[in-house]
Amino acid sequence: MPWGTELLWVVATCVCLVLVEGGGGAERDDGRGFVGFDGRNICIVPPTDGTVMVGEHDLLATISSQQVTMATQASQVSNLRAQLATRRALNTAVQCRAHAKGFDTTMKIATSGARTWTHFEINGTHFLAVSNYYDGTSFDIDSEVLRWNGVQFVTAQLFRTRGAGDWTHFVMGGNHYLIVANSASGSTRTLNSELFMWDGTQFKSVQKITTKGAADWEHFVIDGVHFLAVANHISEGTISQRFLVDSEVFKWSGSAFVSHQKIPTKGARDLEHFVMGDSHYLVIANSFDGASANLNSEVFKWVENAFQSVQLIATHSASGFTHFVLGDTHFLAVANYYDGVKTHIDSQVFRWSGTQFVSHQYITTDGAFDWQHFVIDETHYLAVANRNANSVVFKWDGAVFTPFQTLTTVGARDWEHFVIDNAHYLAAAYHSVSDTIFKLESEVFAWNGACFL
């Protein structure tokens, strides 16, 4: 806490009272100490405890320097310290609420129906890839890879995509790859998604993979073998059939990715690979079966060269899963978008019990599409992308996630957290306003620090 320049130092006897500020302060003098006073604050440190206690002076308005000097009994000192500690905590909380910024907008980037952001790094250079889905008239538009120039992100490469739903970056054999999920052309959902490889200066197409309304790609490695899994969201057919489409796992053959396993899904929007112990898992977010948005999403475990279902999780038009670990405990957060009536509903955090995922916390969201977990200064955060309201960053308090900061967003569908030169950023992908306006400025938010109580 800042101190004024005009300090009144009062020598106290019998008890060591030391003013300390940011590791500095008065020097201890063999059982003698000091009380620091700037007309507002007072600081007291007993000889057996080096903790500084700061309180508002109005608490001590009736305590003169003589009374402080006479505070020799342990009970008096203890009581005073307790009052000061309580007042200090209250003051710090007020200051944090009034001044802590958290994330602030640092850059806006023109996008068209943006679905996702993907951050990656090549040889020390940072990139962001945006999947542009629709510009209001066409699905056949450019998606973009942007490069960090030290000050901002600038265009590095444009890709002609078709209703792009996602980019995924991965490294294999020392080479960098990007794969795009093409999901719509205006006439069909069965399209080629495309794999690109970095040639040292740009990405070049190396493989096309047939997908059906592809919403998400996930890359993972099991026993040294590379895999890609795609969440196929929708195909052709009647309304009762078109969402009942298999998602698919592809395996690297040494020269291309080939089909390895098909998994029945219902309007799959997202999949997340994670590892617990020595076991590999894949959770798939099912959003719609042609009749209902209230259906089970599914957790799969890798067993004998294939994924096998091990748990069903009740969800409501699930749009995304995020896996993270707190201490030794594994969690899954699901973004629930719609319950068939409204979008202002609860999303949910699940905790691994040792045998299955069990409900840990409900968090109210509004058209939630994505959760992003990240850590800053050893503190865990979850950010939700609310499509129909402002988005919110939540902070782990040791037991549950509590609201930390509300960010003004517009039709948000995705968050991407990344770090450049020790600075933390969140990129928000803005999809549309009322499904009519798609050309928007998506935003990158920068972390400005905060008070941690």
Side-chain angles (χ1 to χ4, degrees), residues 29 31 37 49 63 81 89 218 239 241 263 285 297 311 327 340 360 401 403 426 434 440 443:
D29 185 18
F37 174 59
D49 186 348
I63 302 180
R81 289 181 69 251
E218 184 85 345
I239 188 66
Q241 297 175 332
I263 301 174
S297 291
Q311 185 178 353
H360 181 80
F401 285 95
L426 275 178
S434 302
L440 301 169
E443 292 184 86

Side-chain angles (χ1 to χ4, degrees), residues 97-397:
R97 286 194 297 270
H99 303 296
K101 296 283 188 179
F103 287 96
D104 278 342
T105 299
T106 186
M107 184 177 178
K108 296 184 178 182
I109 301 172
T111 54
S112 297
R115 288 289 184 94
T116 64
W117 285 107
T118 297
H119 168 265
F120 57 96
E121 185 177 351
I122 300 177
N123 299 326
T125 300
H126 292 265
F127 296 88
L128 274 179
V130 62
S131 55
N132 286 324
Y133 179 78
Y134 185 64
D135 67 1
T137 59
S138 178
F139 295 97
D140 294 334
I141 58 176
D142 287 338
S143 289
E144 189 173 8
V145 170
L146 301 106
R147 174 180 54 82
W148 179 253
N149 68 5
V151 179
Q152 61 184 343
F153 283 100
V154 296
T155 299
Q157 187 175 352
L158 299 176
F159 302 79
R160 181 53 54 142
T161 53
R162 313 186 78 183
D166 178 57
W167 284 105
T168 292
H169 167 266
F170 61 96
V171 179
M172 181 175 65
N175 294 312
H176 289 262
Y177 294 85
L178 273 179
I179 187 165
V180 65
N182 284 323
S183 65
S185 69
S187 60
T188 183
R189 294 289 191 158
T190 302
L191 299 165
N192 286 326
S193 290
E194 198 162 4
L195 177 68
F196 300 85
M197 186 176 75
W198 179 255
D199 71 358
T201 59
Q202 63 180 343
F203 285 96
K204 290 188 175 181
S205 179
V206 293
Q207 185 180 355
K208 295 179 179 179
I209 301 174
T210 301
T211 52
K212 297 180 179 182
D216 182 51
W217 281 104
E218 184 85 345
H219 168 264
F220 49 93
V221 180
I222 300 178
D223 297 330
V225 179
H226 290 260
F227 293 86
L228 283 173
V230 64
N232 284 323
H233 178 67
I234 187 173
S235 185
E236 289 71 42
T238 64
I239 188 66
S240 63
Q241 297 175 332
R242 60 193 310 187
F243 292 94
L244 305 180
V245 55
D246 290 344
S247 292
E248 197 164 0
V249 178
F250 298 86
K251 178 180 178 179
W252 180 249
S253 69
S255 59
F257 282 97
V258 297
S259 182
H260 178 76
Q261 181 183 1
K262 293 184 177 181
I263 301 174
T265 51
K266 300 173 181 180
R269 273 209 179 114
D270 181 63
L271 31 76
E272 176 96 342
H273 167 265
F274 59 97
V275 178
M276 292 193 299
D278 296 325
S279 299
H280 290 260
Y281 294 83
L282 193 68
V283 59
I284 298 178
N286 289 318
S287 69
F288 190 61
D289 64 2
S292 176
N294 303 309
L295 62 161
N296 291 323
S297 291
E298 201 161 2
V299 180
F300 298 84
K301 182 179 180 179
W302 184 259
V303 180
E304 296 180 353
N305 205 38
F307 284 105
Q308 297 182 12
S309 179
V310 292
Q311 185 178 353
L312 300 176
I313 297 177
T315 53
H316 309 284
S317 191
S319 293
F321 273 97
T322 294
H323 168 263
F324 56 95
V325 180
L326 289 171
D328 296 325
T329 304
H330 291 259
F331 292 84
L332 282 176
V334 62
N336 286 323
Y337 177 72
Y338 179 63
D339 67 359
V341 177
K342 59 189 182 299
T343 60
H344 188 78
I345 59 176
D346 285 339
S347 290
Q348 202 166 356
V349 177
F350 297 88
R351 182 187 71 255
W352 180 249
S353 69
T355 56
Q356 63 179 344
F357 284 98
V358 297
S359 181
H360 181 80
Q361 181 182 359
Y362 291 93
I363 301 176
T364 300
T365 53
D366 198 340
F369 256 97
D370 178 58
W371 285 105
Q372 176 74 75
H373 168 262
F374 56 96
V375 179
I376 301 178
D377 296 331
E378 299 183 356
T379 299
H380 290 258
Y381 297 86
L382 270 180
V384 64
N386 284 323
R387 186 176 176 189
N388 300 328
N390 288 330
S391 297
V392 183
V393 177
F394 297 84
K395 175 182 173 182
W396 179 252
D397 70 1

